[in-house]
Amino acid sequence: MKQVKKFLLIAMGLALAGAGIYLIKTISDPQGVIRALPFLLVGFGCGIFGHSLGDLLAKKAVRSDPEMARQIEIAQSDERNIMIGNMAKAKGYDLMTYIFGMLVPHLH
């Protein structure tokens, strides 16, 4: 069942990206929301496709090597790695707030 869900997400990602590309090519003079919609479709479609395909391939690779699966599980649950990941997220968020603060006045 999970396998079918992954394939459906992969297909949905491809469909969204394809629809976005189709809209980019066919709409000659977009107005309003239609100006951004095709690019959002491509972005979300590629994101869903890449995440689903990557997860599917990772599970397939781990299924063939149980020792590697055990090592990955240990690395993911290691408290030091979790702390390092949380600190990296915090630094990324701090940097993002400064960058967005600098870019907001220039958006209009």
Side-chain angles (χ1 to χ4, degrees):
M1 183 66 184
K2 288 186 177 184
Q3 202 84 338
V4 172
K5 183 180 174 185
K6 291 294 178 192
F7 284 118
L8 286 175
L9 283 173
I10 290 170
M12 184 176 78
L14 284 173
L16 284 174
I21 292 171
Y22 175 77
L23 288 175
I24 290 171
K25 294 291 184 182
T26 57
I27 298 176
S28 61
D29 188 27
Q31 300 293 322
V33 176
I34 301 297
R35 291 177 69 188
L37 180 67
F39 299 103
L40 287 172
L41 288 175
V42 170
F44 281 122
C46 289
I48 292 170
F49 171 74
H51 180 74
S52 301
L53 186 64
D55 195 30
L56 185 73
L57 292 175
K59 286 186 185 205
K60 188 174 224 171
V62 167
R63 194 178 314 136
S64 66
D65 190 359
E67 178 63 29
M68 184 176 70
R70 191 177 70 78
Q71 288 177 351
I72 290 172
E73 183 179 339
I74 290 170
Q76 287 177 343
S77 62
D78 185 21
E79 294 153 358
R80 293 171 293 177
N81 290 339
I82 292 171
M83 185 184 70
I84 291 169
N86 288 339
M87 289 175 61
K89 285 181 196 175
K91 286 193 183 285
Y93 180 77
D94 290 342
L95 183 63
M96 180 186 70
T97 56
Y98 291 122
I99 291 173
F100 281 168
M102 288 186 287
L103 292 177
V104 166
H106 303 288
L107 290 178
H108 190 27

